[in-house]
Amino acid sequence: PATPAFLARQKRPGLATVASVLLEGPLIDLFGGFVPAAGARLPVRTLWLVTGTLAMAFGIALYVTPRLGAAPPEGLMFAVQRRLALSLIRARLLVDGLALLGGVSLGGSVGVGTVLLAGLVGPLMGLFHRRLAPLGPAAVAAMPAGSER
């Protein structure tokens, strides 16, 4: 599927792009029942927030590092990175920050977890990217210089 992010990058969607579009909703439905209710105790909610943030950042790095494609937010991240000459981390922070502001402007609610997720996914993705990059020399060679910072 062509999305504005991919049109901006002028690239075709990859395997991870298609998998993301087809699997994201069903996986949320599958695992959504395990997430504690909003009334759960703070330590339980904190554990879920930390686990979910780490899993999200690791998952993004897992398919972005070997260039398997990108989901629409990552496609936008790469377009922003290229057009503004930013690092991947800064581009992700900008994209997530703008998404947060867009959600607020449309009347969405913002909690501590929302702000933490927007501020931590980019840096954690960069950390995991640096750890995963040595596992695939071809992926490292294809990465723009300084993109992991």
Side-chain angles (χ1 to χ4, degrees):
T3 64
F6 289 104
L7 295 174
R9 290 180 59 216
Q10 299 172 346
K11 293 192 177 203
R12 297 182 73 129
L15 174 65
T17 309
V18 176
S20 171
V21 169
L22 295 176
L23 297 175
E24 195 169 301
L27 287 173
I28 289 171
D29 289 344
L30 178 67
F31 291 105
F34 295 106
V35 178
R41 294 180 182 257
L42 185 60
V44 173
R45 293 191 326 237
T46 302
L47 178 64
W48 274 94
L49 175 65
V50 170
T51 303
T53 303
L54 289 170
M56 182 175 174
F58 181 72
I60 293 167
L62 197 59
Y63 65 80
V64 166
T65 302
R67 302 265 183 204
L68 294 175
E74 289 72 52
L76 185 57
M77 172 188 71
F78 284 125
V80 166
Q81 177 200 23
R82 188 180 81 229
R83 298 216 191 253
L84 300 180
L86 297 174
S87 68
L88 276 181
I89 293 171
R90 287 192 174 118
R92 182 64 193 220
L93 285 168
L94 180 60
V95 167
D96 287 347
L98 291 173
L100 180 89
L101 290 174
V104 169
S105 71
L106 293 172
S109 62
V110 176
V112 174
T114 308
V115 174
L116 287 175
L117 191 72
L120 291 175
V121 169
L124 288 169
M125 179 204 59
L127 173 74
F128 290 129
H129 169 69
R130 285 191 297 276
R131 299 288 187 251
L132 292 170
L135 301 177
V140 175
M143 297 298 286
S147 65
E148 68 277 46
R149 292 189 192 133

